[in-house]
Amino acid sequence: MATTSRSREPAVLAARRDALQVDARAGRIRRVLAIRFSRLGDVIFTTPALSLLHERLPGVCIDYLAGGPAGALVRHHPAVNEVLRFEPGWHRPNWVLRRPWLVREIARRGYDLALVFESDQPTRDWLERVCARAGVRHVMSRSSLVQPAGLPPAVHSCEKHLRLLTPLGLVPDARPYEVFPGPEDIARADALLRAHAAEAVRPLVGIQAGAHYTRFPDRLLRSVGLRHKTYKAWPAAHWGELARRLVAERGARLVLTGTAGERALAEEIAARAGAPPELAPLVVAGATSVGTLAALVARTDVFVSIDTGTMHLAAALGVPTVALFGPTDSAHHGPYGQRGTARVVRSGIACSPCKKPARKACTLNRCLAELEPKQVLAAVEELL
């Protein structure tokens, strides 16, 4: 069904929901396509919905359409049958050029239901049209969802995704997000640790200090008023002090993760740690695949990160996680469902968290600059 103003009218949405419920009760929902483009954390946020669907409707076959390497995070998920990868790039005309291929791929698999987990409305609308063109019988997204009666408004992104399953008669429950590394990635991660004599050193502490828009070039970000996510950054000097104290006081071996664009920052933190040769930090920023990164993070004893996808990766793997939050709201984007194994640390200043317009205009980043290393270290100590 094409996305139009009429298709968003309450009566039309209710009719679509009722038709889906009829097919679900009759057992006619057999093949489902879950769709989420974008980054690591965005894909991880969909995993509670995948688990609920797999558990409550065990006969349903679920495929996953991902927009990049983040699809590796659900390749070994028990609920997922196959991961399809669609990479049109950031240049919008590429989406038009590759649309026929995507329509054919979806059509030949004969899906009964598409769950479009996208938060960006233009992308969501485009995907709804693609699925309708491919003959998918039912397409559900936030745009087509009627707020279920008797349920409070969803707050966290995971909860918003879980709500897409309510037309199937599935009541959302509290369940964590989860990631399952594959055996080949586990083998690569273990080999990497052995090569650096790090597998036997404890504690092994992971650090993710950067959060970049890795999919988009700088000139595009500037054209739409964005910058690489420096508003989430904790000062390098603070990271260095935390690293130094972890090495000196706990004898920790550090594993510094990130993208290739964050490698310089990771190397700076490693240098500031002042570690002896036997505890030299392992810098893997830009040197691993997403799957190997997941397996490597799973080997750490505690993971310290700003608000980024790797933080969610650590929490989803069950690794004790310390999450540094400043301008963003942990109620919406914080560790989800990890009872007792995650700590959110803030400076506590009054303007944090803030809304996006203020976030873009702020150049001081006081909410993170005033978060002291001793506060973060105390949270790490609680979890070690």
Side-chain angles (χ1 to χ4, degrees):
M1 179 181 294
T3 302
T4 65
S5 58
R6 185 179 180 281
S7 69
R8 299 276 167 76
E9 293 176 1
V12 176
L13 295 180
R16 291 172 64 182
R17 179 197 60 204
D18 293 344
L20 176 56
Q21 288 177 341
V22 168
D23 278 357
R25 293 193 190 103
R28 290 193 287 265
I29 304 299
R30 307 300 299 170
R31 291 186 61 82
V32 175
L33 179 64
I35 307 175
R36 187 60 164 115
F37 291 174
S38 202
R39 295 169 291 276
L40 304 188
D42 299 315
V43 170
I44 293 170
F45 286 159
T46 67
T47 60
L50 299 178
S51 298
L52 180 64
L53 182 60
H54 178 65
E55 178 185 304
R56 303 287 176 81
L57 298 176
V60 171
C61 177
I62 305 170
D63 290 345
Y64 201 106
L65 175 62
L73 297 179
V74 291
R75 181 168 292 117
H76 298 281
H77 195 287
V80 175
N81 171 62
E82 181 184 3
V83 175
L84 314 178
R85 187 163 166 172
F86 177 65
E87 292 191 87
W90 63 269
H91 193 45
R92 200 70 183 186
N94 290 349
W95 292 54
V96 177
L97 292 174
R98 298 209 64 196
R99 174 176 166 168
W101 174 88
L102 185 58
V103 169
R104 286 195 303 271
E105 286 297 302
I106 294 175
R108 75 182 183 86
R109 287 172 167 82
Y111 294 111
D112 305 301
L113 170 65
L115 296 170
V116 182
F117 290 115
E118 284 298 320
S119 57
D120 174 65
Q121 185 166 330
T123 304
R124 198 163 62 219
D125 293 346
W126 186 83
L127 286 167
E128 286 192 24
R129 291 193 296 270
V130 165
C131 290
R133 183 71 178 268
V136 179
R137 191 181 312 154
H138 303 283
V139 182
M140 291 298 298
S141 74
R142 292 188 196 179
S143 301
S144 56
L145 182 65
V146 177
Q147 170 65 28
L151 290 177
V155 176
H156 197 280
S157 292
C158 290
E159 296 169 355
K160 293 175 182 177
H161 295 329
L162 281 163
R163 293 293 168 88
L164 287 188
L165 304 184
T166 54
L168 292 167
L170 305 182
V171 179
D173 57 13
R175 59 181 61 218
Y177 49 22
E178 296 177 293
V179 169
F180 302 87
E184 66 282 2
D185 293 315
I186 293 172
R188 291 191 194 101
D190 289 346
L192 182 61
L193 291 174
R194 283 195 301 272
H196 292 83
E199 77 278 10
V201 179
R202 288 293 181 266
L204 194 63
V205 179
I207 288 179
Q208 171 70 38
H212 279 61
Y213 284 104
T214 54
R215 292 177 62 206
F216 306 111
D218 288 335
R219 62 185 177 85
L220 176 64
L221 294 176
R222 289 194 297 270
S223 72
V224 295
L226 293 175
R227 51 191 169 125
H228 283 301
K229 294 187 178 179
T230 53
Y231 62 82
K232 293 184 176 184
W234 201 39
H238 288 5
W239 279 116
E241 175 64 10
L242 176 67
R244 185 191 66 77
R245 293 190 63 179
L246 284 169
V247 172
E249 298 174 18
R250 294 303 302 256
R253 186 79 184 268
L254 307 179
V255 178
L256 293 114
T257 63
T259 65
E262 296 158 357
R263 189 172 183 87
L265 174 59
E267 289 175 342
E268 179 183 350
I269 295 167
R272 288 174 180 262
E278 65 273 15
L279 294 178
L282 176 56
V283 179
V284 298
T288 65
S289 66
V290 170
T292 303
L293 173 65
L296 189 61
V297 169
R299 290 289 188 255
T300 60
D301 297 298
V302 65
F303 199 85
V304 188
S305 175
I306 58 174
D307 174 19
T308 186
T310 316
M311 177 271 290
H312 292 293
L313 177 58
L317 288 162
V319 175
T321 303
V322 176
L324 283 56
F325 273 76
T328 51
D329 192 346
S330 59
H332 294 276
H333 307 294
Y336 185 76
Q338 312 303 317
R339 299 183 185 88
T341 61
R343 299 287 185 275
V344 172
V345 186
R346 290 186 173 277
S347 62
I349 70 171
C351 60
S352 170
C354 59
K355 301 295 184 182
K356 281 187 177 181
R359 195 181 304 162
K360 291 178 182 179
C362 179
T363 57
L364 299 176
N365 275 32
R366 283 183 52 217
C367 54
L368 283 164
E370 295 184 16
L371 177 59
E372 297 184 11
K374 64 181 181 181
Q375 295 173 256
V376 180
L377 182 63
V380 173
E381 293 281 3
E382 286 182 23
L383 296 176
L384 278 175

Coordinates of all heavy atoms in Angstrom, one line a residue, residues 209 211 227-236 238 306 324-328 346-349 351-352 354 356 358-372:
A209 N 35.7 5.6 22.8 CA 35.8 7.0 23.1 C 35.1 7.9 22.0 O 34.8 9.1 22.3 CB 37.2 7.5 23.3
A211 N 32.3 8.6 18.5 CA 31.1 8.3 17.9 C 30.9 9.2 16.6 O 30.5 10.3 16.7 CB 29.9 8.6 18.8
R227 N 27.4 17.8 12.5 CA 28.9 17.6 12.7 C 29.0 16.2 13.2 O 28.1 15.6 13.7 CB 29.5 18.6 13.7 CG 28.7 18.7 15.0 CD 29.1 19.8 15.9 NE 28.2 20.0 17.0 CZ 28.6 20.1 18.2 NH1 29.9 19.9 18.6 NH2 27.7 20.3 19.2
H228 N 30.3 15.6 13.0 CA 30.5 14.3 13.7 C 30.1 14.5 15.1 O 30.2 15.5 15.7 CB 32.0 13.9 13.5 CG 32.2 13.4 12.1 ND1 31.6 12.4 11.6 CD2 33.1 13.9 11.1 CE1 32.0 12.1 10.3 NE2 32.9 13.0 10.1
K229 N 29.8 13.4 15.8 CA 29.1 13.5 17.0 C 30.0 13.9 18.2 O 30.1 13.3 19.2 CB 28.4 12.2 17.4 CG 27.3 11.8 16.4 CD 26.5 10.6 16.8 CE 25.4 10.3 15.9 NZ 24.7 9.1 16.2
T230 N 30.6 15.1 18.0 CA 31.5 15.6 19.0 C 30.7 16.1 20.2 O 31.3 16.2 21.3 CB 32.3 16.8 18.5 OG1 31.4 17.8 17.9 CG2 33.3 16.4 17.4
Y231 N 29.4 16.3 20.1 CA 28.6 16.7 21.2 C 28.4 15.5 22.2 O 28.0 15.7 23.4 CB 27.2 17.2 20.8 CG 26.4 16.2 20.1 CD1 25.6 15.3 20.8 CD2 26.3 16.2 18.7 CE1 24.8 14.4 20.1 CE2 25.5 15.3 18.0 CZ 24.7 14.4 18.7 OH 23.9 13.5 18.0
K232 N 28.8 14.3 21.8 CA 28.8 13.2 22.7 C 30.1 12.9 23.3 O 30.3 11.9 24.1 CB 28.3 11.9 22.0 CG 26.9 11.9 21.5 CD 26.5 10.6 20.9 CE 25.1 10.5 20.5 NZ 24.7 9.1 20.0
A233 N 31.1 13.6 22.9 CA 32.5 13.3 23.3 C 32.9 13.7 24.7 O 32.5 14.8 25.2 CB 33.5 14.0 22.3
W234 N 33.6 12.8 25.4 CA 34.2 13.1 26.7 C 35.7 13.5 26.3 O 36.3 13.0 25.5 CB 34.2 11.8 27.5 CG 34.4 12.0 29.0 CD1 33.8 13.0 29.7 CD2 35.1 11.2 29.9 NE1 34.2 12.9 31.1 CE2 34.9 11.7 31.2 CE3 35.8 10.0 29.7 CZ2 35.5 11.1 32.3 CZ3 36.4 9.4 30.8 CH2 36.2 10.0 32.1
P235 N 36.2 14.6 27.0 CA 37.5 15.1 26.7 C 38.6 14.0 26.7 O 38.6 13.1 27.6 CB 37.8 16.1 27.7 CG 36.4 16.6 28.2 CD 35.6 15.4 28.1
A236 N 39.5 14.1 25.7 CA 40.6 13.1 25.7 C 41.4 13.1 26.9 O 41.9 12.0 27.4 CB 41.5 13.4 24.5
H238 N 40.4 13.5 29.9 CA 39.6 12.7 30.9 C 39.8 11.2 30.6 O 40.0 10.4 31.6 CB 38.1 13.1 30.9 CG 37.8 14.4 31.5 ND1 38.8 15.3 31.9 CD2 36.6 15.1 31.7 CE1 38.2 16.4 32.4 NE2 36.9 16.3 32.3
I306 N 31.0 6.2 25.6 CA 30.0 7.3 25.4 C 28.8 6.7 24.8 O 28.7 5.5 24.5 CB 30.6 8.4 24.6 CG1 31.1 8.0 23.2 CG2 31.7 9.1 25.3 CD1 31.5 9.1 22.3
L324 N 28.5 6.8 29.4 CA 28.7 8.2 29.7 C 27.7 9.0 28.9 O 27.8 9.0 27.6 CB 30.1 8.6 29.4 CG 31.3 8.3 30.4 CD1 31.3 6.8 30.6 CD2 32.6 8.8 29.8
F325 N 26.8 9.6 29.5 CA 25.7 10.4 28.8 C 25.9 11.9 29.2 O 26.1 12.2 30.3 CB 24.3 9.9 29.2 CG 23.9 8.8 28.4 CD1 24.3 7.5 28.5 CD2 22.9 9.0 27.4 CE1 23.9 6.4 27.8 CE2 22.5 7.9 26.5 CZ 23.0 6.7 26.7
G326 N 25.6 12.7 28.2 CA 25.7 14.2 28.4 C 24.4 14.8 27.8 O 23.4 14.9 28.5
P327 N 24.4 15.2 26.5 CA 23.2 15.9 26.0 C 22.1 14.9 25.6 O 21.0 15.4 25.5 CB 23.8 16.6 24.7 CG 25.0 15.7 24.3 CD 25.6 15.2 25.6
T328 N 22.4 13.7 25.4 CA 21.3 12.7 24.9 C 20.7 12.1 26.2 O 21.2 12.1 27.3 CB 21.9 11.6 24.0 OG1 23.0 11.0 24.6 CG2 22.3 12.2 22.7
R346 N 26.4 10.5 34.6 CA 26.2 11.9 34.1 C 26.9 12.9 35.1 O 27.1 12.6 36.2 CB 24.7 12.3 34.1 CG 23.9 11.5 33.0 CD 22.4 12.1 33.0 NE 21.7 11.6 31.9 CZ 21.7 12.0 30.7 NH1 22.5 13.1 30.4 NH2 21.0 11.5 29.7
S347 N 27.1 14.1 34.6 CA 27.7 15.1 35.4 C 26.7 15.7 36.3 O 27.0 16.2 37.4 CB 28.3 16.2 34.5 OG 27.3 16.9 33.8
G348 N 25.4 15.7 35.9 CA 24.3 16.2 36.8 C 24.0 17.7 36.6 O 23.2 18.2 37.3
I349 N 24.6 18.3 35.5 CA 24.2 19.8 35.4 C 22.8 19.9 34.9 O 22.3 19.0 34.2 CB 25.2 20.5 34.4 CG1 25.1 20.0 33.0 CG2 26.6 20.3 34.9 CD1 25.9 20.8 32.0
C351 N 21.1 21.5 32.5 CA 20.7 21.5 31.1 C 20.8 20.1 30.4 O 20.5 20.0 29.2 CB 21.4 22.6 30.4 SG 23.2 22.3 30.3
S352 N 21.2 19.1 31.1 CA 21.4 17.8 30.5 C 20.3 16.8 31.0 O 20.1 16.8 32.2 CB 22.8 17.3 30.9 OG 22.9 15.9 30.6
C354 N 19.5 17.6 26.7 CA 18.9 18.7 26.0 C 18.3 18.3 24.7 O 18.5 17.2 24.3 CB 19.9 19.8 25.8 SG 21.3 19.2 24.8
K356 N 17.5 18.5 20.5 CA 18.4 18.6 19.4 C 18.8 20.0 19.0 O 19.9 20.3 18.7 CB 17.8 17.9 18.2 CG 17.9 16.4 18.3 CD 17.5 15.7 17.0 CE 17.7 14.2 17.1 NZ 17.3 13.5 15.9
A358 N 19.1 22.7 20.8 CA 20.1 23.2 21.7 C 21.4 22.4 21.6 O 22.5 23.0 21.7 CB 19.6 23.1 23.1
R359 N 21.3 21.2 21.3 CA 22.5 20.3 21.2 C 23.4 20.7 20.0 O 24.6 20.8 20.1 CB 22.0 18.9 21.0 CG 23.0 17.8 21.1 CD 22.4 16.4 20.9 NE 21.2 16.2 21.7 CZ 20.3 15.3 21.4 NH1 20.4 14.5 20.4 NH2 19.3 15.1 22.2
K360 N 22.7 21.1 18.9 CA 23.5 21.5 17.7 C 24.2 22.9 18.0 O 25.3 23.1 17.4 CB 22.6 21.6 16.5 CG 22.1 20.3 16.0 CD 21.2 20.4 14.8 CE 20.6 19.1 14.4 NZ 19.7 19.2 13.2
A361 N 23.5 23.7 18.7 CA 24.1 25.1 19.0 C 25.1 25.1 20.0 O 26.0 26.0 20.1 CB 22.9 26.0 19.3
C362 N 25.1 24.2 21.0 CA 26.0 24.2 22.1 C 27.4 23.8 21.7 O 27.7 22.9 21.0 CB 25.6 23.2 23.2 SG 26.7 23.1 24.6
T363 N 28.4 24.7 22.1 CA 29.8 24.4 21.7 C 30.6 24.2 23.0 O 31.8 23.9 22.9 CB 30.4 25.6 21.0 OG1 30.2 26.8 21.8 CG2 29.7 25.9 19.7
L364 N 30.0 24.2 24.2 CA 30.7 24.1 25.4 C 30.8 22.6 25.9 O 31.8 22.2 26.5 CB 30.1 24.9 26.5 CG 30.0 26.4 26.2 CD1 29.2 27.1 27.4 CD2 31.4 27.0 26.1
N365 N 29.8 21.9 25.6 CA 29.7 20.5 26.1 C 30.0 20.3 27.6 O 30.7 19.4 28.0 CB 30.7 19.6 25.3 CG 30.1 19.1 24.0 OD1 29.2 19.8 23.4 ND2 30.5 17.9 23.5
R366 N 29.5 21.3 28.3 CA 29.7 21.3 29.8 C 29.3 20.0 30.4 O 29.9 19.5 31.4 CB 29.1 22.4 30.5 CG 29.7 23.8 30.3 CD 29.0 24.8 31.1 NE 28.8 24.4 32.5 CZ 27.7 24.7 33.2 NH1 26.7 25.3 32.6 NH2 27.6 24.3 34.4
C367 N 28.2 19.4 29.9 CA 27.6 18.2 30.5 C 28.5 17.0 30.5 O 28.5 16.2 31.4 CB 26.3 17.8 29.8 SG 26.5 17.6 28.0
L368 N 29.5 17.0 29.6 CA 30.5 15.9 29.5 C 31.8 16.5 30.0 O 32.6 15.7 30.7 CB 30.6 15.4 28.1 CG 29.5 14.4 27.8 CD1 29.4 14.2 26.3 CD2 29.6 13.1 28.5
A369 N 32.1 17.7 29.8 CA 33.4 18.3 30.2 C 33.5 18.3 31.8 O 34.6 18.1 32.3 CB 33.6 19.7 29.7
E370 N 32.3 18.4 32.4 CA 32.3 18.5 33.9 C 32.1 17.1 34.5 O 32.0 17.0 35.7 CB 31.3 19.4 34.4 CG 31.6 20.9 34.0 CD 30.6 21.9 34.5 OE1 29.8 21.5 35.4 OE2 30.5 23.0 34.0
L371 N 32.0 16.1 33.7 CA 32.0 14.7 34.2 C 33.4 14.2 34.5 O 34.2 14.1 33.6 CB 31.3 13.8 33.2 CG 31.2 12.3 33.5 CD1 30.5 12.0 34.8 CD2 30.6 11.5 32.4
E372 N 33.7 14.0 35.8 CA 35.1 13.8 36.2 C 35.4 12.3 36.1 O 34.6 11.4 36.3 CB 35.3 14.3 37.6 CG 35.0 15.8 37.8 CD 35.3 16.2 39.2 OE1 35.9 15.4 40.0 OE2 35.0 17.4 39.6

